Amino acid sequence: MDQSVQSESKFAVEAGRSATSAEQPSKVIELEAVSVRFGQGRSGTTALGETTLDVRKGEFISFVGPSGCGKSTILRLVSGLVRPTNGVVVVGGREVGVKALRIGMAFQNASMMPWLTVERNVMLPLKIVPPFRADYRRKRKGEFRDRVRALLAQVGLSDFADHFPWQLSGGMLQRANLCRALVHDPQLLLLDEPFGALDQFTREELWGTLQALWLDKRPTVLLVTHDLREAAYLGSRICVMSARPGRIISDTPVPFAYPRTLETTYEPEFIALGKRMRELIVPVQTSGGSA
Amino acid sequence: MDQSVQSESKFAVEAGRSATSAEQPSKVIELEAVSVRFGQGRSGTTALGETTLDVRKGEFISFVGPSGCGKSTILRLVSGLVRPTNGVVVVGGREVGVKALRIGMAFQNASMMPWLTVERNVMLPLKIVPPFRADYRRKRKGEFRDRVRALLAQVGLSDFADHFPWQLSGGMLQRANLCRALVHDPQLLLLDEPFGALDQFTREELWGTLQALWLDKRPTVLLVTHDLREAAYLGSRICVMSARPGRIISDTPVPFAYPRTLETTYEPEFIALGKRMRELIVPVQTSGGSA
Amino acid sequence: MARITRVLSATAVILGFFGAWELLCRLLHVSDLVLPLPSQILVTLIERFPDLWPHLIQTIASTLAGFTFGVLAGVVIGVMVGSSRLAYDTLYPLLIGFSSVPKVAIIPIFVIWFGAGTIPAILTALSLSIFPVVVNVATGISTSEPELEDVLRALGASRRDILWNVALPRTLPYLFASLKVAITVAFIGSITSETIASNYGIGTVMMVASANFDVALLFAGLALISITGIALYGLFSFAEARFTGWATRKSAVA
Amino acid sequence: MARITRVLSATAVILGFFGAWELLCRLLHVSDLVLPLPSQILVTLIERFPDLWPHLIQTIASTLAGFTFGVLAGVVIGVMVGSSRLAYDTLYPLLIGFSSVPKVAIIPIFVIWFGAGTIPAILTALSLSIFPVVVNVATGISTSEPELEDVLRALGASRRDILWNVALPRTLPYLFASLKVAITVAFIGSITSETIASNYGIGTVMMVASANFDVALLFAGLALISITGIALYGLFSFAEARFTGWATRKSAVA
Amino acid sequence: AEPVKIRFILDWKAQGPGAWFYVARDKGYFAAEGLDVTIDQGDGSAAAVSHIMTGAYDAGFGDINAVIQNAAQRQGEQPLMVYMLYNRAPYALIVKADGPIKTLKDMEGHTLAAPAGSATERMFKPLALKNGVDAGKVKVLNAAPNLIEQLLVNGQADAIAQFAPTSYMNFLAMKKSPETDFRWFFYSENGLDLYSNGILVSQKLLKENPEAVRGLVKALNRAILEVAADPDEGIATLKKVEPLTNVDLEKQRLVYTVNQQLRTDEVARLGLGDLDDGRLQAAIKTVADAYALPRTPAMDEVFSRAFLPSKADRILPPAH
Ligand SMILES: Nc1ncnc2c1ncn2[C@@H]1O[C@H](COP(=O)(O)OP(=O)(O)OP(=O)(O)O)[C@@H](O)[C@H]1O
Ligand SMILES: Nc1ncnc2c1ncn2[C@@H]1O[C@H](COP(=O)(O)OP(=O)(O)OP(=O)(O)O)[C@@H](O)[C@H]1O
Ligand SMILES: [Mg+2]
Ligand SMILES: [Mg+2]
C-alpha cells in the first residue's frame, strides 16, 4: 500500500487530490503497479502496461486512449473479471474477487441474453445482487418491473420492453445495456463506451440523464469513451492512456462545477481543456503507430 | 421507374443533381417508395417509413439520424438482406437479389467468424466474390494474403492477423471489419458505423484512408454514422432521417471539394453546415421522443 | 397455403417410398419371409392391433418412467461434468464405460438382480437415456459464451447464479436436442429389455414373432414401434421448438 | 503440477469406486454368479487377454467401418434436413421411424438378408451412428447465427457458400459432440449384432460366455468393452477439443 | 472342379456338440467331397430352419419338428432333413427338486420360462396335451436362452423348458447338482416320443446339386463318428476354432449329448442318421394335432434317407 502511494505518478496524486474527491477522502479503488498479459511467452499480448491508480469515493473518472490500449481491461480488472498478472487491485477495501461493493457494468458490446426479453435482461442484476435478490421472486412482477420500465422509458425504449434483443437496433441495445448497469443502484459504475452506437443527440440527452443520476446517488464511476467532449463533460477526472501496452500518461482533474450543461462545452476553458488533452494524445498516436 | 422519379421529393432530386454525381449520371441505387415492417399485425415494428432515394455512380452518401430510425435497415435493403414490405429496390439496374455489383459491407457489430483468424476473416470476400473466388485456392497463401496484410497494416492490425476475433478489443474488431468490407475492391460500399468503437484520432486517420481509397477507385458508398462531422467530412451528400419509423427528411449535397482535410472541418462554411444539419435533427428529436 | 403444399409434398414423397417398396417386391417376387409387402404389413397391423395395443401401452409406460429419471440424472450429471473438472475426470469415464457396454449384455444382469419384466425395462430405458443428455448438457455448459457469463460475474454472481442464469438457458437447445435422442433410445431400451426377458410389452411380441418367423407380424410390430417412435420424437421436437425458439429465430421478412 | 493433481484425484476416485465394489462384495458374500469381484475380473481379463484380443480387433474393425459410413451419411442427411424444408418433412420422419426401432429387432432381419457375420455388425453400427449425427448436424445448421450468414449473403454468396463457410464450421461443435455419441453407439451396435449372429468378435464371446455361465469371462468381456468404449470416446473427445477449440475457449488468465 | 460353396448354419453357438462340424471342415472332409462349407453359429434350432427357408443358408443343423410345421404351412419351401442326429429329443421340463411341482399336472397355475420360439417351448403344448395338462393355465415367461436357468434358480419361474444338455451343464456351472437339486421331466419319457435336430438342406441345393448333399452327409457322418469315438480330439478342434472354449465343460456337454441324444436302441438298430418311419409318422401327427396344422405333411416332405451312406458306415462306437 505504502509502496503504491510512493509509486503513484506525482501528476496523478495532484489530480486526485485537487478534484471533486477532496471532500470524500476514502479510496474506493486502488490499482498498485498492475499489469495484465494475455497468453504465455512470445505469443502473448500485454493488454495493460504497469498502471497505478487511486479512485476516491464518488469520483467520476473518464478514460480516453487509442483503441486496444487496455481501457476495457482496466474495467475488467476492477470488476474482477480479469486478474492482474502483476500488482494488486483493491476495490472497496478488499482484494478483488470478494464483492465489497455493488457494481454495475455496461460492456462495450451489449451482451444481452438472447433468451430473455429486454425487460428481463435489464432486470437481471436485481435477480443477482443483494439486497434485491432476496425480494426478486416477490417483486419481479411489481415493483421491480416498474423500476425497469421507468428506466427504459428514460432512454426511450418503453415500447421495446417485451422485445427480444435481436429485434433491436444497435443503439437500442446500447441503451438497454446502460439500463442494466444502472438498475440496481450500483455504488461503483463501470461504463465501457456506453454511448458508442448512439447518435449525437440521443447521446447528449443521455449525458444529462447520467449526470443527474450521478449527482443524485453519487456512485463512483469509471467511464471509457473515445469522445473527448464526453470525457470532459461528464468526468471529474480524465485519464489519458498511451497506445498498447497502455499506461496512464495523464491524469487531469476537470475543473468545471457540476451540474454541467451543453453550454459548458462551448466555454473557452472547456475547449482549451479538450485541446490540451488532444495534444497529449496526438504525439502518442504518431509515436505509437495508428493503433 | 417513371413513377419513382415523380415520387422523389423535390429536395432529393435537387440534392442529387447538384452533387458530385453530375458527371456520372447512371443510377446505381433506386429505392422507390420503399418501406419495411418486421413482424405481423399490431405487434410488428415499422423499421423504415416510405422512403425514396436515388444514388448515382460514385456518390458518397452519409446517413445520420436517431437510433432505431432504420439506417441499418436501408443498408440491409440495398445489400438484399432485407426485402421491402412495399416498394421496389433496384441496385445496379436489377432488382435486388441478383448481385449485379460487387458489394462490400461492414456491419454495425463486427460479426467475425469466431473460428477463423482475423486474416482469414478479412479474406472471406475473396473466397466468395467473383472474379476473386476462381483464384482463391491458388492465391490465398500468396497474393491474397499480401493484399489482406497490407490492408490490416493500414489500419494498424499487422500484429493481429493470426489472432482470433475474441482476442481483439472492440475497436480492433471494427477495423478488421472495415478491412473485410474493402478487401475485394467493391463497386458499392455499405458501411454501418464503421468507426463506432474507435477513438477520435484513429478515427480521423481512417477518414483519410477511406477518402483516399474512395477518390482512387470511386466506389459508390453508403455510410451510416452518428457523427455529423464525419458525415460531412466524407459524404458528397448527407441524408438526415427522422425518428422511427424513419424517413429521409433532408437530402443535402456537401459543397466542399475533395480531397478534404481536417482543416476543412474548421472552415466556417463547414461549421455552418453542421449547425444546419443539427437544427434539422434537434426538432425531430424533441418531437419524436428520445428514440 | 405454403403449409398445405408442404404437408402434401412430404406425404407424396413418403407414400412414394412405400409405393416403390410394394412395387419392387411384387416385380421381383420377393418372398414374404425376406421382406413382406407394405400392404401385407398394414393388413396385419390393423387386424392384430387390438392384441398389440395393450403391449404398446405397457412399453410406453416403462419408457416414460425410465426416460424421466434418466433425464433428471442426465441433467444433474451433465451439469456436474460440464462445470467441474473433477467430475469430468471421474464421472465421465465411468459413464462412458458404462454406456459403451451394449445393453444386451447388461439387461441379463438386470434380470438376474431384479427379475424379469418391468423393472429391467425401466432401468434399461433410464441407463440409455442418461448418456445423450449428459453429453449434450455438458457440451452446452462448457461451450457457453464467456461474454454472457461476464455480465453476471461482474455483478458478483456465484457459480450457481451463473449456472441458472446463463449456462442452463444457453444449454437448453442442446438439452432439447438431446431429449429427442434420449426418448428414442429409452424407447429402444425398454423394447430391447422386453425382448430379453418379459412376458408383456411390444418387445415380447417382437421376440415371439421373430422366433416364430412370423415376418408379417414382426414388420407390423416394427411399423407400430416406428410410428410410436416418431410420435415421441415429434412431441419432444415440438417442445424444443416451443422453448428454444430464440435459437432458431429467423428474420420474419428476409 | 495442476495436471498431476488432476490425474491423481481422478484416479483416486475411480480406484475408490472399484475398491468399494470389492469390499462390499466380500463383506456381503455376494455370489460370483451374481456379481464377481473386480480382482477376479481383472485376473480373468489378463489371463484370457490373448484369446480375447483378436475378437476385439474384429469388433473394432466392424465398428469403424460402420461408423465411417454412418457419419458420412449422417452429415449429408443432417445438412439436408437442417437446410431443406422438404428433406426435413420427409427424411426426418423416415429416419426417426427407422431409428426408434430397436436394433435387436432389426438385426435378425439383417441376418435374414445377409447371413450371420460381419455385414450385419457393420450395418448395425452404421444405422446406429447415423441418428445422433443427423440430429446434431441438423440442429447446428438450423440454429446458425443469422448475423454471420448475413455477412456472406451480403456478398452474394450462394446457399452452398453459406453452408461451407458459416453453417458447417458453426456446426462443428455439434458434429463433434455427436461423433462421441456415434462411435459409442456404433460400438454397441456391432457388439449387439455379434451377440445375435456371428462367429467372431467380442459380442460372440459375450454370448458364448453367458451361454456357458462363465460369469468371470462375461465381466472380463464387459470390462474390455468398457475400456475400449472409453478409449474410442476419448479419441473423439480429443479430436473435438483439437478442432473446435474456439467454442470452448476460456480466458487464459481469468 | 470348382468346389461347391455351401453356407451352413448351426443350431446354436460353437459348443461341444457342434465340434463335429468344425472337425469335418478342418480335417478336410468337406474338401474331399468337393465342398467349400462356411459354418456360421446359429440362434436356435427352429431358427436354423427359417434361415434356410429365406435363402440365406443352403444347409444347416436344426429341428425336424419345425420342418414339419413349415411343411404344413409353406408347402415346398421347407428344408429337407437328410440325416437325423438327435434320435432322442433332448427336450426337458425342469423344476426345483424341493419345489411345488411333483408331477406335470402340477404345472397348472405356475410359470414356465423358455426361450421364445424354442423347440422345447413349441413342444410343450403337445406334452401338455398328452399328459392332460391345461396348457392355457400355464403362464409362459419368454427370456433369452442364457437366462433360463437363472430364472428357475432365482425363483422367477417355477419350471423351465430347455434342451437337457444345456441346462445340465449350466447347473454344473452354477455349482448346483443337476441330479439332486432338480427334478427332470424328459418329454421323451412323458409320452412325447419325438425326434429333434438333424442335418437340413434347402430345396434349392437338393434340386440343383444332389451330389453335394450326398457329399455333405458323408463328410459329416464321418466327422460325427470320429468325434463320438474320440471326444477329446473334437474338443481340441473346437478349441482351435474358438480359443475361449472351456475344454472340460464342452467335453462333458459333448459326451452327455452323445450318450443321451445319439445313443439309443433305435440307432443301434438302424445306424446313425436314419430313423424309424412309424415313429416319425407318429411325431408328425402329434405336431400337426398340437398346432392344428392345416394339413399333415407326408413323411418324405420332411425326411429323406436317400443321401445316407451305407449302414455299415453309420455305426456309433460304443460308449467308454
Ligand atoms: N429482425 C428484426 N425484427 C424485428 N424488428 C427489427 C429487426 N431488425 C430491426 N428491427 C427494428 O427496426 C427498427 C430499425 O432498426 P435499424 O437497425 O435499422 O435502426 P438503426 O437506424 O440502424 O439504429 P441504430 O443507430 O441504433 O443502429 C428498430 O426499431 C428495430 O427495433
Ligand atoms: N481474452 C484475450 N486474449 C488475448 N488478448 C486479449 C484478450 N482480451 C483483450 N486482449 C488484448 O488486450 C489488448 C487490450 O484490449 P482492451 O479490450 O482492453 O482494449 P481497449 O482499450 O478497450 O480497446 P477499444 O477501444 O478498441 O475497445 C488488445 O491488444 C487485445 O488484443
Ligand atoms: Mg474496449
Ligand atoms: Mg444500426
Side-chain angles (χ1 to χ4, degrees):
Chain A
M1 286 256 204
D2 292 334
Q3 195 86 30
S4 101
V5 173
Q6 266 181 314
S7 71
E8 269 181 322
S9 83
K10 259 189 217 160
F11 195 46
V13 175
E14 250 177 48
R17 297 266 150 88
S18 58
T20 53
S21 53
E23 70 278 14
Q24 292 165 331
S26 63
K27 286 183 195 168
V28 175
I29 301 171
E30 299 171 61
L31 305 190
E32 299 176 32
V34 166
S35 67
V36 175
R37 264 186 81 78
F38 288 108
Q40 246 115 42
R42 302 219 304 133
S43 69
T45 313
T46 302
L48 188 66
E50 202 178 286
T51 300
T52 295
L53 178 75
D54 271 18
V55 180
R56 287 184 176 68
K57 194 158 169 250
E59 279 194 294
F60 193 129
I61 317 245
S62 301
F63 290 89
V64 292
S67 162
C69 70
K71 303 184 296 294
S72 298
T73 302
I74 288 187
L75 296 201
R76 293 170 68 81
L77 268 172
V78 171
S79 66
L81 293 176
V82 162
R83 253 171 282 162
T85 312
N86 292 304
V88 181
V89 178
V90 180
V91 174
R94 308 209 198 163
E95 268 216 55
V96 165
V98 203
K99 289 280 181 307
L101 292 177
R102 211 155 53 229
I103 296 183
M105 181 153 180
F107 289 82
Q108 192 163 2
N109 52 353
S111 293
M112 294 276 141
M113 313 288 155
W115 54 88
L116 295 179
T117 60
V118 170
E119 178 179 300
R120 282 288 152 118
N121 261 296
V122 172
M123 214 183 274
L124 215 44
L126 301 179
K127 194 172 175 186
I128 302 298
V129 176
F132 304 98
R133 67 181 295 157
D135 300 331
Y136 181 74
R137 293 185 145 268
R138 203 158 40 78
K139 297 187 177 169
R140 68 182 160 187
K141 291 205 174 124
E143 192 187 315
F144 287 177
R145 190 168 167 279
D146 298 340
R147 183 189 192 116
V148 169
R149 295 264 165 171
L151 259 176
L152 288 175
Q154 242 178 317
V155 300
L157 288 180
S158 296
D159 297 349
F160 291 86
D162 295 327
H163 283 54
F164 283 89
W166 46 277
Q167 296 176 307
L168 266 59
S169 76
M172 289 165 151
L173 286 177
Q174 281 273 11
R175 285 179 274 161
N177 193 21
L178 187 65
C179 291
R180 188 171 61 187
L182 292 170
V183 73
H184 55 301
D185 270 341
Q187 297 159 306
L188 174 57
L189 194 51
L190 308 173
L191 305 175
D192 199 348
E193 306 202 10
F195 311 119
L198 294 174
D199 62 293
Q200 204 168 326
F201 311 96
T202 313
R203 204 166 172 147
E204 286 169 0
E205 207 179 304
L206 290 177
W207 290 354
T209 311
L210 180 59
Q211 179 177 259
L213 187 130
W214 179 66
L215 289 174
D216 182 22
K217 316 247 168 154
R218 271 294 167 127
T220 310
V221 182
L222 304 192
L223 169 79
V224 169
T225 175
H226 54 253
D227 181 339
L228 278 178
R229 219 167 127 246
E230 182 171 300
Y233 178 98
L234 287 167
S236 62
R237 263 161 75 188
I238 301 181
C239 291
V240 179
M241 297 184 62
S242 68
R244 190 169 50 82
R247 291 152 189 278
I248 297 176
I249 50 164
S250 142
D251 188 341
T252 321
V254 182
F256 309 102
Y258 290 100
R260 303 175 189 155
T261 62
L262 283 182
E263 263 79 84
T264 317
T265 64
Y266 296 113
E267 281 173 25
E269 269 179 279
F270 191 96
I271 293 171
L273 176 73
K275 213 173 148 197
R276 235 187 312 130
M277 293 287 106
R278 196 190 166 128
E279 274 153 14
L280 263 168
I281 302 175
V282 175
V284 173
Q285 283 290 118
T286 32
S287 74
S290 61
Chain B
M1 286 256 204
D2 292 335
Q3 196 85 30
S4 101
V5 174
Q6 267 182 315
S7 71
E8 271 181 323
S9 82
K10 258 189 217 161
F11 195 46
V13 175
E14 248 176 50
R17 297 265 152 86
S18 57
T20 52
S21 51
E23 71 277 14
Q24 292 163 330
S26 64
K27 286 183 194 169
V28 175
I29 301 171
E30 298 171 61
L31 305 190
E32 300 175 33
V34 167
S35 67
V36 176
R37 264 186 80 78
F38 288 108
Q40 248 115 40
R42 298 220 305 133
S43 69
T45 312
T46 302
L48 187 67
E50 201 178 287
T51 298
T52 295
L53 178 75
D54 270 17
V55 180
R56 286 181 177 69
K57 195 157 169 250
E59 280 194 294
F60 194 130
I61 316 243
S62 301
F63 290 90
V64 293
S67 161
C69 71
K71 303 183 294 295
S72 298
T73 303
I74 288 188
L75 296 201
R76 294 171 67 81
L77 268 172
V78 170
S79 66
L81 293 176
V82 162
R83 253 170 282 161
T85 312
N86 292 306
V88 182
V89 178
V90 180
V91 174
R94 306 208 200 165
E95 268 218 52
V96 163
V98 203
K99 289 282 181 306
L101 291 176
R102 212 154 54 227
I103 295 182
M105 181 154 180
F107 288 83
Q108 191 163 4
N109 52 352
S111 293
M112 294 276 141
M113 313 287 155
W115 54 88
L116 296 179
T117 60
V118 170
E119 178 180 300
R120 283 289 153 120
N121 260 295
V122 172
M123 215 182 274
L124 214 45
L126 302 178
K127 194 171 173 186
I128 302 298
V129 176
F132 304 97
R133 67 180 293 157
D135 300 331
Y136 180 74
R137 291 185 148 268
R138 201 157 41 79
K139 296 189 177 166
R140 67 181 161 187
K141 290 203 173 125
E143 191 187 315
F144 286 178
R145 190 169 167 277
D146 299 341
R147 182 190 193 113
V148 168
R149 296 264 165 172
L151 259 175
L152 287 175
Q154 242 178 316
V155 300
L157 286 180
S158 295
D159 297 348
F160 292 85
D162 294 327
H163 283 54
F164 283 90
W166 46 276
Q167 296 176 307
L168 265 60
S169 76
M172 290 165 151
L173 285 176
Q174 282 273 10
R175 286 179 273 160
N177 193 22
L178 187 64
C179 292
R180 188 171 61 187
L182 293 170
V183 72
H184 55 303
D185 271 341
Q187 297 159 304
L188 173 58
L189 194 51
L190 307 172
L191 305 175
D192 199 347
E193 306 201 10
F195 310 119
L198 294 174
D199 61 293
Q200 204 168 327
F201 310 97
T202 313
R203 206 167 170 145
E204 285 169 0
E205 206 179 306
L206 290 177
W207 290 356
T209 313
L210 181 59
Q211 180 178 258
L213 187 129
W214 179 67
L215 290 174
D216 183 23
K217 316 244 168 157
R218 271 296 168 126
T220 310
V221 183
L222 304 192
L223 170 79
V224 168
T225 175
H226 53 253
D227 181 341
L228 277 178
R229 222 169 124 245
E230 182 170 301
Y233 178 97
L234 287 166
S236 63
R237 263 162 74 190
I238 301 181
C239 291
V240 179
M241 296 184 63
S242 67
R244 190 170 49 81
R247 289 152 191 278
I248 297 175
I249 49 164
S250 141
D251 186 341
T252 322
V254 182
F256 308 103
Y258 291 99
R260 302 173 188 158
T261 63
L262 284 180
E263 264 79 85
T264 318
T265 64
Y266 297 114
E267 281 172 27
E269 268 179 281
F270 191 96
I271 293 170
L273 177 73
K275 209 172 150 202
R276 237 187 313 131
M277 294 287 104
R278 196 191 165 127
E279 275 154 15
L280 262 169
I281 304 174
V282 176
V284 174
Q285 283 291 117
T286 32
S287 74
S290 60
Chain C
M1 277 300 282
R3 243 191 101 73
I4 293 173
T5 49
R6 253 187 70 193
V7 171
L8 284 181
S9 59
T11 315
V13 172
I14 290 177
L15 285 183
F17 172 78
F18 287 106
W21 170 355
E22 177 99 23
L23 216 72
L24 277 174
C25 279
R26 281 184 189 275
L27 286 179
L28 303 174
H29 298 290
V30 177
S31 154
D32 62 351
L33 272 185
V34 172
L35 187 64
L37 300 171
S39 57
Q40 201 182 346
I41 297 170
L42 191 68
V43 169
T44 313
L45 185 59
I46 293 171
E47 271 175 3
R48 319 223 19 196
F49 189 74
D51 300 337
L52 291 171
W53 179 241
H55 285 284
L56 185 64
I57 292 292
Q58 157 84 16
T59 305
I60 292 179
S62 310
T63 302
L64 290 182
F67 171 78
T68 309
F69 292 113
V71 169
L72 288 181
V75 169
V76 171
I77 299 177
V79 167
M80 285 165 67
V81 165
S83 55
S84 144
R85 221 46 264 194
L86 184 66
Y88 183 91
D89 291 341
T90 58
L91 276 180
Y92 225 30
L94 285 180
L95 197 78
I96 296 154
F98 179 69
S99 300
S100 56
V101 170
K103 291 308 160 298
V104 279
I106 293 275
I107 294 167
I109 298 174
F110 286 162
V111 173
I112 291 171
W113 291 347
F114 305 104
T118 312
I119 295 179
I122 294 177
L123 282 179
T124 312
L126 188 159
S127 59
L128 274 172
S129 47
I130 283 184
F131 191 58
V133 176
V134 170
V135 170
N136 272 34
V137 168
T139 305
I141 295 228
S142 64
T143 62
S144 85
E145 287 155 85
E147 294 97 39
L148 297 186
E149 287 190 10
D150 284 352
V151 170
L152 289 208
R153 287 212 286 149
L155 292 167
S158 64
R159 283 169 64 93
R160 258 191 73 208
D161 287 334
I162 291 175
L163 196 67
W164 278 105
N165 291 290
V166 184
L168 283 187
R170 221 201 71 97
T171 302
L172 271 190
Y174 287 84
L175 173 64
F176 274 95
S178 81
L179 288 190
K180 297 181 298 192
V181 180
I183 189 73
T184 309
V185 295
F187 189 51
I188 290 176
S190 49
I191 296 173
T192 306
S193 172
E194 287 165 358
T195 62
I196 287 179
S198 170
N199 43 16
Y200 217 70
I202 197 84
T204 313
V205 173
M206 300 300 287
M207 164 169 57
V208 172
S210 123
N212 293 335
F213 261 73
D214 188 345
V215 183
L217 180 59
L218 189 65
F219 271 83
L222 285 183
L224 196 58
I225 291 171
S226 302
I227 294 167
T228 314
I230 294 173
L232 290 173
Y233 189 93
L235 203 70
F236 284 89
S237 295
F238 177 75
E240 178 180 17
R242 190 83 187 63
F243 292 115
T244 62
W246 59 267
T248 44
R249 71 192 138 94
K250 290 269 176 201
S251 160
V253 176
Chain D
M1 275 303 279
R3 244 190 100 75
I4 293 173
T5 49
R6 254 187 69 192
V7 171
L8 284 180
S9 59
T11 316
V13 171
I14 289 178
L15 285 181
F17 172 78
F18 287 106
W21 171 356
E22 177 99 21
L23 216 73
L24 278 175
C25 277
R26 283 184 189 276
L27 286 178
L28 303 175
H29 298 289
V30 177
S31 153
D32 62 352
L33 279 182
V34 173
L35 186 63
L37 300 172
S39 57
Q40 200 182 347
I41 297 170
L42 191 67
V43 169
T44 313
L45 185 59
I46 293 170
E47 272 175 3
R48 316 205 53 175
F49 189 74
D51 299 338
L52 288 169
W53 180 239
H55 286 284
L56 185 63
I57 292 293
Q58 157 84 18
T59 305
I60 292 179
S62 309
T63 303
L64 290 183
F67 170 78
T68 308
F69 292 114
V71 170
L72 289 181
V75 169
V76 171
I77 299 177
V79 167
M80 284 165 68
V81 165
S83 55
S84 144
R85 221 47 261 193
L86 185 66
Y88 183 90
D89 291 342
T90 57
L91 277 179
Y92 225 30
L94 285 179
L95 198 77
I96 297 154
F98 179 69
S99 301
S100 56
V101 171
K103 290 309 160 297
V104 278
I106 293 275
I107 293 167
I109 296 173
F110 286 159
V111 175
I112 291 176
W113 292 346
F114 306 103
T118 313
I119 295 179
I122 294 178
L123 282 180
T124 312
L126 189 159
S127 59
L128 274 171
S129 47
I130 282 185
F131 191 57
V133 175
V134 170
V135 170
N136 272 33
V137 168
T139 306
I141 295 232
S142 65
T143 61
S144 85
E145 287 155 86
E147 294 97 37
L148 298 186
E149 287 191 8
D150 284 352
V151 170
L152 291 207
R153 288 210 286 147
L155 292 168
S158 65
R159 282 170 65 94
R160 260 190 72 207
D161 287 333
I162 291 175
L163 195 67
W164 277 106
N165 291 290
V166 184
L168 284 186
R170 220 201 74 95
T171 302
L172 271 190
Y174 287 85
L175 174 63
F176 275 95
S178 80
L179 287 191
K180 297 181 299 193
V181 179
I183 189 74
T184 309
V185 295
F187 189 53
I188 291 176
S190 48
I191 295 172
T192 306
S193 171
E194 286 165 358
T195 62
I196 289 180
S198 170
N199 307 311
Y200 218 70
I202 197 83
T204 315
V205 173
M206 301 298 290
M207 198 60 215
V208 171
S210 91
N212 293 342
F213 263 85
D214 192 343
V215 181
L217 180 59
L218 191 67
F219 271 83
L222 283 183
L224 195 59
I225 290 171
S226 301
I227 294 167
T228 313
I230 294 173
L232 289 174
Y233 190 92
L235 202 71
F236 284 90
S237 294
F238 177 76
E240 178 179 16
R242 191 82 188 61
F243 292 114
T244 62
W246 61 267
T248 44
R249 71 191 138 95
K250 291 270 175 200
S251 161
V253 176
Chain E
E2 187 81 347
V4 180
K5 283 199 188 323
I6 293 182
R7 303 191 62 184
F8 193 94
I9 178 97
L10 298 186
D11 60 332
W12 191 228
K13 305 301 159 195
Q15 291 185 333
W20 33 64
F21 300 107
Y22 294 103
V23 168
R25 186 186 71 187
D26 290 3
K27 291 189 116 182
Y29 299 169
F30 289 137
E33 302 298 329
L35 303 177
D36 173 12
V37 180
T38 44
I39 301 170
D40 280 346
Q41 303 180 30
D43 50 356
S45 49
V49 175
S50 309
H51 281 304
I52 298 170
M53 288 172 69
T54 63
Y57 291 90
D58 309 303
F61 185 65
D63 182 32
I64 195 165
N65 301 300
V67 177
I68 295 170
Q69 261 185 299
N70 280 302
Q73 285 161 341
R74 299 174 155 266
Q75 193 176 356
E77 289 181 38
Q78 81 282 3
L80 188 69
M81 184 165 292
V82 291
Y83 190 100
M84 166 53 65
L85 190 63
Y86 290 179
N87 193 276
R88 181 192 291 126
Y91 312 149
L93 198 136
I94 310 155
V95 299
K96 278 188 182 161
D98 54 0
I101 298 167
K102 310 284 187 218
T103 68
L104 281 177
K105 187 73 186 153
D106 296 337
M107 277 303 296
E108 287 178 15
H110 286 102
T111 307
L112 173 70
S118 65
T120 35
E121 191 213 3
R122 289 184 188 206
M123 291 307 128
F124 175 71
K125 230 161 133 190
L127 180 74
L129 216 59
K130 280 267 188 319
N131 290 279
V133 179
D134 183 353
K137 288 190 180 156
V138 178
K139 213 175 127 210
V140 174
L141 172 62
N142 283 130
N146 50 329
L147 279 175
I148 300 297
E149 288 79 18
Q150 289 275 12
L151 294 179
L152 178 64
V153 171
N154 290 355
Q156 290 166 37
D158 306 306
I160 59 174
Q162 265 285 44
F163 268 32
T166 308
S167 289
Y168 193 90
M169 294 307 139
N170 285 346
F171 289 140
L172 286 180
M174 294 164 82
K175 302 184 184 75
K176 304 264 176 202
S177 158
E179 279 88 9
T180 57
D181 290 346
F182 303 96
R183 181 170 294 124
W184 300 67
F185 300 96
F186 290 98
Y187 288 26
S188 54
E189 292 166 1
N190 286 277
L192 210 59
D193 188 19
L194 297 173
Y195 291 105
S196 99
N197 291 6
I199 295 160
L200 305 165
V201 294
S202 70
Q203 294 290 345
K204 184 160 169 280
L205 186 67
L206 211 53
K207 243 182 246 104
E208 291 174 0
N209 207 337
E211 273 320 297
V213 175
R214 196 176 305 283
L216 183 74
V217 172
K218 189 176 165 203
L220 282 173
N221 178 63
R222 189 175 162 195
I224 291 166
L225 294 177
E226 236 179 73
V227 171
D230 185 0
D232 290 315
E233 195 211 339
I235 297 300
T237 305
L238 193 66
K239 175 88 179 167
K240 250 183 281 161
V241 172
E242 178 46 77
L244 288 165
T245 301
N246 180 336
V247 171
D248 292 340
L249 187 76
E250 295 311 331
K251 187 185 163 192
Q252 280 188 57
R253 203 195 299 271
L254 173 60
V255 172
Y256 184 98
T257 303
V258 170
N259 289 336
Q260 294 292 318
Q261 270 58 62
L262 273 56
R263 200 176 300 287
T264 64
D265 296 342
E266 189 181 304
V267 167
R269 187 158 47 86
L270 300 174
L272 209 54
D274 205 349
L275 50 70
D276 181 272
D277 287 355
R279 227 182 115 203
L280 179 59
Q281 208 105 52
I284 293 175
K285 190 170 172 335
T286 305
V287 173
D289 288 350
Y291 284 93
L293 293 179
R295 59 183 208 94
T296 309
M299 236 171 53
D300 60 359
E301 286 179 76
V302 176
F303 179 80
S304 164
R305 55 174 61 88
F307 300 92
L308 292 176
S310 70
K311 188 190 158 197
D313 293 334
R314 296 188 278 111
I315 300 300
L316 191 64
H320 33 212

